[in-house]
Amino acid sequence: MLFPSFAFLVFLPLVFLGYWYAFAKNLRLQNIFLLVASYLFYGWWDWRFLGLLFFSSVADFLIGLAIDRAPTIRTKRRWVALSVLINLSLLGTFKYFNFFVDGMHDLLATVGLQPNLPLLRILLPVGISFYTFQSLSYTIDIRRGSIKATHDPIAFLAFVSFFPQLVAGPIERATNLLPQFLTPRQFDRGSAVDGLRQMLWGFFKKLVVADTCGVLANEAFAGDVSATPGISLFFGVFFFAFQIYGDFSGYSDIAIGCARLFGIRLSQNFATPYFSRSISEFWRRWHISLSTWFRDYVYMPLGGWRTKWGRLRNILITFAVSGLWHGANWTFIVWGVLHGLFYVPEILRNGKARRDVASLRDLPSMLWTFTLVLVAWVFFRSATVRTAFAYLYYMVANAFLHPGALLKWLARPEFGWVLVLLVVEWLARKQEHALERLPGSVVLRWAIYLLITLVLLLYIDLSVPNEFIYFQF
Amino acid sequence: MSSSTSSSEPLRLLIRVLLFCSIPITILGAAYRWGPHASRIDYMGAVAMKHARLDALPSPKVIIIGGSNAAFGIDSERLEKALCMPVVNMSIHASLGFRFMVEEVKGSIGRGDLVIVALEHSCYSKSTKDNDLHILTADRYLGALHYMPWYQRPKVVVGIAVMRMQGRWKELSGAWKDDSLDPVYRANGFNAQGDVISHLDRPPREASRQQAVDFFEPYIGEEFDPLVRALAVEVNTHGGELVFTWPSIAKSSFRSTFHQAMRDGLRESGFEIIGRTEDYVYPDTLFYDTHYHLNAKGRQVRTTQLIRDLCASAQVHCCVGPGSVP
């Protein structure tokens, strides 16, 4: 089920009422209700993959118990290894099998062999990268002693499948989310209202910014780059940057806001990343739940952050793996490695991370960081590494081809929506989301809600399913 | 932010949200009532004209159902002469889905009617479709709601309101101009029988518009068999005949595996597709724009073949000999 869909418009109020009225008196029943609702939400897309979700959850629940009971560290490690094996096998089968077979085929072809290797013809289950990582972190955290294994299978299944964040995150840690399923939730009106506002802003980012920018980005990346003016190629990737930001952070806003309606607090996933003054800051603000996941479960265990060179090596490995997580394509790996390389000067300088928010004086460093991010987005968006290089080449080589195209791009309504997004988020950059603090007057607040709602209705494109980009990861 | 555990709080919030929603709902209601049509392109509006003919024609008659391959690529006037029965070509767009197509003719089948089905590949795999075409169709012909599943209807009505509101906005902002109207895809581009004829005297669309068919996995959806059987029961009850024929397709888009899957799927339901696959695969030059839409010449070639196959079939009575195809 998609957030911007008629089905969700009916589903959400019904689940909300059932959750707070029919089942509110009994925590276990409330969790069962949430579990059923979440499986319905997921199964709406394709019920056949519910078994996979159930299997992954049950496996990690049982392994969690086994780790808890294991008498020695060695046994605990073996159970964690099994959990890693199960989850990565699922990912490997459904997401990476064909990528590795292709790679093997190319490798053998270079030595003159033409093997007939089998390819899998299966759909990628939506959200598999998200829920396997969430489930996996649970078993690792039990082994580390950060959390005790739960004996409540319903609460655990509800934690893994919680519908707002099931298919595209935020990737929650058991330490944050699971305890919320084990204790009674209380309705907090203020929090729920704030959640609704966050959802509204999320829908704006998705339907007005991302979906409109996406059309222009798709045209730029699908066209003949050698004959396209450099400025148009630049705007192609510029609009892609806002498509993916609006799409993914919009989803996160809707998910976080939706969870708050059920008295559940999810982690912040985006914090105005395009106002970052360095690549390291960008990664503290972009897809926070994934970058902290990789920090805690890949970068830290690699153990080399104590020395400069060890840190460098581990940063590159972590970013490459992070790239691979996004998809079974070399373009994603190059995208990850590029971000790792952009990190290098900061490691060599040994600079301290800035925790304050940006001001206008930081504009040069923000623009520089944004430029680096754009270069990397070219690889992320391109079909192959070769076409990405061609895109970047012609962006420079055709820089003076039809320079007048600049005005055409600046006059586009999509650019106007990007400006609206940037201005609003700049003003609200100290807040968790843009509509967190609004004027006290009810009339003024409702006028703002109405304005955004009308813009949404005017811009929603009913000819496409309004899917989110990160569903494919 | 205040915290509350009062049991009425969630309901009060929901009521407040609904109160707020009543404002955009009122605006949408006004757009539905007074707004312009959802789209300037009124191609789907031809459904109304087709239904008027379907309801008016006496039986026995010929009813053609299918997607745009049958709308663009059959000359119903020649078919009328060959079968000595009036024809109504209900075909308009494959994306309406086979279920919609079956539902819209089911109640109108009369004694001795011949139903010819020419489905595109996508109709075999997914019979119930869910897209904006249903909105555009119901926007022009509200009766079309009856041919959609009940659960799609509210969404389609809301969709009409949203698209009419967007239409009003486009009118006000000047985004809609008369020259954006397509000369082919319009409701008055059909003849009395329901065939698209607006493309016949036009040159093929530029190469970029020659779209190859985007195939997915060849499979028959779960809904297909019950729908075919339901249609067959309806036709048999009235002593009519149900005949399946191949869709027209451009050679460069032809995939034998898909045709095989279509044939196998129908055989499992107890039906045969008349004629040979290869007789309905034509050179790309015989297509107007997409690889399903035949041009004037292609339409004649396909109609001739269809008449030959119908007359050679034991199910159909032709009033001309196989050698004298009109």
Side-chain angles (χ1 to χ4, degrees), chain A residues 6 10 44, chain B residues 99 103 128 144-157:
Chain A
F6 192 78
V10 176
W44 201 265
Chain B
R99 178 178 175 146
E103 291 296 330
T128 303
L145 281 173
H146 298 295
Y147 316 132
M148 301 169 196
W150 64 267
Y151 54 84
Q152 267 185 16
R153 293 174 199 171
K155 179 181 156 181
V156 168
V157 172

Side-chain angles (χ1 to χ4, degrees), chain A residues 216-455:
Chain A
L216 302 179
N218 291 346
E219 279 172 18
F221 279 89
D224 174 11
V225 291
S226 65
T228 309
I231 194 75
S232 297
L233 294 176
F234 168 79
F235 273 99
V237 68
F238 173 86
F239 282 118
F240 176 68
F242 284 94
Q243 179 197 7
I244 195 157
Y245 173 63
D247 191 284
F248 194 21
S249 74
Y251 182 93
S252 295
D253 279 337
I254 299 167
I256 294 166
C258 184
R260 292 177 79 173
L261 293 177
F262 298 93
I264 287 173
R265 212 51 215 225
L266 299 179
S267 327
Q268 190 180 8
N269 215 16
F270 288 85
T272 55
Y274 289 151
F275 301 141
S276 303
R277 291 151 294 185
S278 65
I279 286 295
S280 59
E281 186 181 1
F282 176 80
W283 281 102
R284 285 196 302 277
R285 293 174 173 274
W286 177 275
H287 203 175
I288 300 165
S289 64
L290 181 74
S291 44
T292 51
W293 198 99
F294 275 109
R295 181 196 65 200
D296 294 347
Y297 301 113
V298 179
Y299 177 72
M300 292 295 193
L302 285 171
W305 72 95
R306 297 174 192 91
T307 67
K308 195 176 272 184
W309 297 111
R311 202 176 156 205
L312 198 64
R313 182 196 66 208
N314 296 335
I315 287 275
L316 286 173
I317 292 172
T318 308
F319 272 109
V321 176
S322 162
L324 187 62
W325 177 89
H326 283 82
N329 194 328
W330 283 103
T331 50
F332 294 118
I333 298 173
V334 172
W335 169 77
V337 170
L338 262 182
H339 271 279
L341 290 173
F342 294 155
Y343 228 114
V344 172
E346 290 182 45
I347 297 169
L348 296 179
R349 274 204 312 268
N350 233 343
K352 282 202 166 174
R354 291 179 68 173
R355 301 285 170 189
D356 58 330
V357 292
S359 69
L360 279 177
R361 277 181 311 216
D362 298 312
L363 195 61
S365 55
M366 282 191 282
L367 286 176
W368 173 243
T369 307
F370 184 62
T371 307
L372 294 178
V373 170
L374 284 188
V375 171
W377 281 141
V378 172
F379 288 88
F380 193 94
R381 177 61 183 78
S382 296
T384 65
V385 174
R386 188 190 289 266
T387 54
F389 276 117
Y391 194 99
L392 286 170
Y393 172 78
Y394 286 109
M395 204 193 299
V396 178
N398 292 351
F400 298 105
L401 193 68
H402 303 303
L406 174 67
L407 291 177
K408 188 195 84 176
W409 285 108
L410 295 180
R412 289 207 64 109
E414 294 83 354
F415 186 74
W417 290 120
V418 168
L419 283 185
V420 169
L421 173 80
L422 286 173
V423 169
V424 172
E425 294 218 325
W426 175 261
L427 295 174
R429 65 194 184 281
K430 291 178 185 168
Q431 299 166 196
E432 202 170 309
H433 66 90
L435 303 183
E436 194 176 328
R437 282 185 213 136
L438 289 179
S441 154
V442 177
V443 177
L444 218 52
R445 279 204 312 268
W446 277 43
I448 292 170
Y449 303 153
L450 186 61
L451 182 69
I452 297 174
T453 309
L454 291 180
V455 170

Side-chain angles (χ1 to χ4, degrees), chain A residues 70-299:
Chain A
T72 63
I73 294 287
R74 200 185 161 94
T75 324
K76 285 180 194 287
R77 279 193 184 141
R78 281 186 182 160
W79 282 114
V80 171
L82 180 65
S83 170
V84 171
L85 184 73
I86 289 171
N87 285 293
L88 294 190
S89 299
L90 288 179
L91 272 180
T93 307
F94 286 92
K95 191 167 175 179
Y96 300 109
F97 184 83
N98 289 350
F99 174 68
F100 287 121
V101 169
D102 277 342
M104 181 66 75
H105 189 277
D106 292 346
L107 192 72
L108 293 173
T110 56
V111 291
L113 295 171
Q114 290 294 331
N116 190 15
L117 299 173
L119 287 174
L120 285 180
R121 299 172 77 85
I122 45 173
L123 283 172
L124 175 68
V126 166
I128 189 169
S129 308
F130 290 91
Y131 69 73
T132 48
F133 267 40
Q134 181 160 316
S135 190
L136 187 57
S137 71
Y138 167 73
T139 52
I140 298 173
D141 281 351
I142 295 173
R143 215 280 292 152
R144 287 178 177 177
S146 316
I147 190 170
K148 295 285 283 177
T150 177
H151 292 256
D152 182 344
I154 299 298
F156 183 76
L157 292 179
F159 149 73
V160 177
S161 66
F162 184 44
F163 76 86
Q165 47 89 236
L166 171 61
V167 288
I171 303 168
E172 282 297 330
R173 303 298 179 76
T175 43
N176 173 48
L177 188 54
L178 186 56
Q180 297 187 62
F181 282 94
L182 297 168
T183 47
R185 273 85 61 176
Q186 291 200 328
F187 184 76
D188 182 333
R189 190 178 170 279
S191 177
V193 169
D194 195 41
L196 284 170
R197 287 181 195 158
Q198 191 163 1
M199 288 179 79
L200 189 63
W201 185 243
F203 278 118
F204 172 81
K205 284 202 264 190
K206 163 65 183 161
L207 297 174
V208 181
V209 179
D211 286 355
T212 54
C213 288
V215 176
L216 302 179
N218 291 346
E219 279 172 18
F221 279 89
D224 174 11
V225 291
S226 65
T228 309
I231 194 75
S232 297
L233 294 176
F234 168 79
F235 273 99
V237 68
F238 173 86
F239 282 118
F240 176 68
F242 284 94
Q243 179 197 7
I244 195 157
Y245 173 63
D247 191 284
F248 194 21
S249 74
Y251 182 93
S252 295
D253 279 337
I254 299 167
I256 294 166
C258 184
R260 292 177 79 173
L261 293 177
F262 298 93
I264 287 173
R265 212 51 215 225
L266 299 179
S267 327
Q268 190 180 8
N269 215 16
F270 288 85
T272 55
Y274 289 151
F275 301 141
S276 303
R277 291 151 294 185
S278 65
I279 286 295
S280 59
E281 186 181 1
F282 176 80
W283 281 102
R284 285 196 302 277
R285 293 174 173 274
W286 177 275
H287 203 175
I288 300 165
S289 64
L290 181 74
S291 44
T292 51
W293 198 99
F294 275 109
R295 181 196 65 200
D296 294 347
Y297 301 113
V298 179
Y299 177 72

Side-chain angles (χ1 to χ4, degrees), chain A residues 21 187-189 457 460, chain B residues 2 4 7 9 11 166 217:
Chain A
Y21 288 103
F187 184 76
D188 182 333
R189 190 178 170 279
L457 289 172
I460 187 168
Chain B
S2 62
S4 169
S7 65
E9 280 288 325
L11 191 60
Q166 292 176 344
E217 290 295 300

Side-chain angles (χ1 to χ4, degrees), chain B residues 197-234:
Chain B
I197 52 166
S198 50
H199 69 303
L200 296 180
D201 53 357
R202 291 180 186 276
R205 297 216 164 168
E206 66 274 24
S208 62
R209 299 292 299 267
Q210 296 280 350
Q211 303 157 6
V213 175
D214 193 9
F215 285 113
F216 298 97
E217 290 295 300
Y219 74 97
I220 305 295
E222 289 166 6
E223 276 186 294
F224 186 75
D225 178 66
L227 275 171
V228 171
R229 288 177 195 275
L231 180 62
V233 166
E234 194 69 26

